[in-house]
PDB file of all heavy atoms in Angstrom:
ATOM      1  N   SER B 370     -15.744  46.880 -50.363  1.00 97.00           N
ATOM      2  CA  SER B 370     -17.068  47.488 -50.212  1.00 97.00           C
ATOM      3  C   SER B 370     -18.097  46.374 -50.071  1.00 97.00           C
ATOM      4  O   SER B 370     -18.089  45.428 -50.864  1.00 97.00           O
ATOM      5  CB  SER B 370     -17.441  48.334 -51.437  1.00 97.00           C
ATOM      6  OG  SER B 370     -16.737  49.552 -51.468  1.00 97.00           O
ATOM      7  N   VAL B 371     -18.947  46.479 -49.063  1.00 98.00           N
ATOM      8  CA  VAL B 371     -19.989  45.482 -48.848  1.00 98.00           C
ATOM      9  C   VAL B 371     -21.310  46.244 -48.733  1.00 98.00           C
ATOM     10  O   VAL B 371     -21.412  47.204 -47.974  1.00 98.00           O
ATOM     11  CB  VAL B 371     -19.728  44.645 -47.582  1.00 98.00           C
ATOM     12  CG1 VAL B 371     -20.732  43.517 -47.488  1.00 98.00           C
ATOM     13  CG2 VAL B 371     -18.310  44.076 -47.590  1.00 98.00           C
ATOM     14  N   MET B 372     -22.310  45.816 -49.523  1.00 98.00           N
ATOM     15  CA  MET B 372     -23.533  46.603 -49.656  1.00 98.00           C
ATOM     16  C   MET B 372     -24.778  45.787 -49.352  1.00 98.00           C
ATOM     17  O   MET B 372     -24.816  44.585 -49.614  1.00 98.00           O
ATOM     18  CB  MET B 372     -23.663  47.107 -51.095  1.00 98.00           C
ATOM     19  CG  MET B 372     -22.446  47.877 -51.565  1.00 98.00           C
ATOM     20  SD  MET B 372     -22.703  48.505 -53.252  1.00 98.00           S
ATOM     21  CE  MET B 372     -21.302  49.625 -53.358  1.00 98.00           C
ATOM     22  N   VAL B 373     -25.796  46.466 -48.833  1.00 98.00           N
ATOM     23  CA  VAL B 373     -27.116  45.870 -48.656  1.00 98.00           C
ATOM     24  C   VAL B 373     -28.090  46.631 -49.552  1.00 98.00           C
ATOM     25  O   VAL B 373     -28.160  47.875 -49.483  1.00 98.00           O
ATOM     26  CB  VAL B 373     -27.589  45.967 -47.189  1.00 98.00           C
ATOM     27  CG1 VAL B 373     -28.975  45.366 -47.036  1.00 98.00           C
ATOM     28  CG2 VAL B 373     -26.609  45.262 -46.260  1.00 98.00           C
ATOM     29  N   ASN B 374     -28.805  45.894 -50.377  1.00 98.00           N
ATOM     30  CA  ASN B 374     -29.879  46.479 -51.188  1.00 98.00           C
ATOM     31  C   ASN B 374     -29.440  47.689 -52.009  1.00 98.00           C
ATOM     32  O   ASN B 374     -30.125  48.718 -52.051  1.00 98.00           O
ATOM     33  CB  ASN B 374     -31.079  46.861 -50.303  1.00 98.00           C
ATOM     34  CG  ASN B 374     -31.734  45.623 -49.698  1.00 98.00           C
ATOM     35  OD1 ASN B 374     -31.508  44.489 -50.165  1.00 98.00           O
ATOM     36  ND2 ASN B 374     -32.544  45.815 -48.669  1.00 98.00           N
ATOM     37  N   ALA B 375     -28.271  47.555 -52.640  1.00 98.00           N
ATOM     38  CA  ALA B 375     -27.805  48.607 -53.545  1.00 98.00           C
ATOM     39  C   ALA B 375     -26.953  47.952 -54.626  1.00 98.00           C
ATOM     40  O   ALA B 375     -26.412  46.867 -54.439  1.00 98.00           O
ATOM     41  CB  ALA B 375     -27.010  49.665 -52.785  1.00 98.00           C
ATOM     42  N   SER B 376     -26.827  48.633 -55.735  1.00 98.00           N
ATOM     43  CA  SER B 376     -26.062  48.110 -56.863  1.00 98.00           C
ATOM     44  C   SER B 376     -24.562  48.236 -56.617  1.00 98.00           C
ATOM     45  O   SER B 376     -24.091  49.272 -56.137  1.00 98.00           O
ATOM     46  CB  SER B 376     -26.446  48.897 -58.121  1.00 98.00           C
ATOM     47  OG  SER B 376     -25.526  48.651 -59.162  1.00 98.00           O
ATOM     48  N   THR B 377     -23.805  47.208 -57.003  1.00 98.00           N
ATOM     49  CA  THR B 377     -22.337  47.264 -56.846  1.00 98.00           C
ATOM     50  C   THR B 377     -21.741  48.452 -57.614  1.00 98.00           C
ATOM     51  O   THR B 377     -20.645  48.896 -57.299  1.00 98.00           O
ATOM     52  CB  THR B 377     -21.661  45.972 -57.354  1.00 98.00           C
ATOM     53  OG1 THR B 377     -22.039  45.737 -58.727  1.00 98.00           O
ATOM     54  CG2 THR B 377     -22.063  44.777 -56.514  1.00 98.00           C
ATOM     55  N   ARG B 378     -22.467  48.949 -58.598  1.00 97.00           N
ATOM     56  CA  ARG B 378     -21.982  50.089 -59.396  1.00 97.00           C
ATOM     57  C   ARG B 378     -21.748  51.345 -58.560  1.00 97.00           C
ATOM     58  O   ARG B 378     -21.112  52.285 -59.012  1.00 97.00           O
ATOM     59  CB  ARG B 378     -22.963  50.375 -60.534  1.00 97.00           C
ATOM     60  CG  ARG B 378     -22.960  49.327 -61.636  1.00 97.00           C
ATOM     61  CD  ARG B 378     -21.828  49.560 -62.644  1.00 97.00           C
ATOM     62  NE  ARG B 378     -22.047  50.822 -63.324  1.00 97.00           N
ATOM     63  CZ  ARG B 378     -21.146  51.810 -63.342  1.00 97.00           C
ATOM     64  NH1 ARG B 378     -19.996  51.685 -62.720  1.00 97.00           N
ATOM     65  NH2 ARG B 378     -21.411  52.927 -63.978  1.00 97.00           N
ATOM     66  N   PHE B 379     -22.273  51.371 -57.316  1.00 97.00           N
ATOM     67  CA  PHE B 379     -22.037  52.544 -56.464  1.00 97.00           C
ATOM     68  C   PHE B 379     -20.618  52.609 -55.890  1.00 97.00           C
ATOM     69  O   PHE B 379     -20.252  53.629 -55.297  1.00 97.00           O
ATOM     70  CB  PHE B 379     -23.039  52.580 -55.306  1.00 97.00           C
ATOM     71  CG  PHE B 379     -24.400  53.089 -55.689  1.00 97.00           C
ATOM     72  CD1 PHE B 379     -25.499  52.241 -55.713  1.00 97.00           C
ATOM     73  CD2 PHE B 379     -24.588  54.417 -56.027  1.00 97.00           C
ATOM     74  CE1 PHE B 379     -26.751  52.700 -56.066  1.00 97.00           C
ATOM     75  CE2 PHE B 379     -25.848  54.892 -56.380  1.00 97.00           C
ATOM     76  CZ  PHE B 379     -26.935  54.031 -56.400  1.00 97.00           C
ATOM     77  N   ALA B 380     -19.843  51.531 -56.014  1.00 96.00           N
ATOM     78  CA  ALA B 380     -18.487  51.544 -55.431  1.00 96.00           C
ATOM     79  C   ALA B 380     -17.590  52.465 -56.241  1.00 96.00           C
ATOM     80  O   ALA B 380     -16.986  52.060 -57.238  1.00 96.00           O
ATOM     81  CB  ALA B 380     -17.915  50.133 -55.384  1.00 96.00           C
ATOM     82  N   ASP B 381     -17.476  53.689 -55.807  1.00 94.00           N
ATOM     83  CA  ASP B 381     -16.857  54.748 -56.610  1.00 94.00           C
ATOM     84  C   ASP B 381     -16.633  55.955 -55.706  1.00 94.00           C
ATOM     85  O   ASP B 381     -17.485  56.297 -54.900  1.00 94.00           O
ATOM     86  CB  ASP B 381     -17.846  55.085 -57.744  1.00 94.00           C
ATOM     87  CG  ASP B 381     -17.418  56.264 -58.575  1.00 94.00           C
ATOM     88  OD1 ASP B 381     -17.610  57.410 -58.107  1.00 94.00           O
ATOM     89  OD2 ASP B 381     -16.919  56.050 -59.683  1.00 94.00           O
ATOM     90  N   GLY B 382     -15.467  56.574 -55.849  1.00 93.00           N
ATOM     91  CA  GLY B 382     -15.125  57.697 -54.987  1.00 93.00           C
ATOM     92  C   GLY B 382     -16.116  58.846 -55.056  1.00 93.00           C
ATOM     93  O   GLY B 382     -16.415  59.477 -54.048  1.00 93.00           O
ATOM     94  N   PHE B 383     -16.665  59.113 -56.238  1.00 92.00           N
ATOM     95  CA  PHE B 383     -17.622  60.206 -56.371  1.00 92.00           C
ATOM     96  C   PHE B 383     -18.947  59.842 -55.714  1.00 92.00           C
ATOM     97  O   PHE B 383     -19.517  60.625 -54.961  1.00 92.00           O
ATOM     98  CB  PHE B 383     -17.816  60.574 -57.847  1.00 92.00           C
ATOM     99  CG  PHE B 383     -16.589  61.157 -58.458  1.00 92.00           C
ATOM    100  CD1 PHE B 383     -15.644  60.353 -59.078  1.00 92.00           C
ATOM    101  CD2 PHE B 383     -16.336  62.528 -58.368  1.00 92.00           C
ATOM    102  CE1 PHE B 383     -14.491  60.889 -59.626  1.00 92.00           C
ATOM    103  CE2 PHE B 383     -15.182  63.083 -58.913  1.00 92.00           C
ATOM    104  CZ  PHE B 383     -14.258  62.262 -59.540  1.00 92.00           C
TER     105      PHE B 383
END
Side-chain angles (χ1 to χ4, degrees):
Chain B
S370 286
V371 187
M372 305 183 168
V373 179
N374 294 343
S376 166
T377 56
R378 289 277 296 124
F379 281 111
D381 174 281
F383 294 90

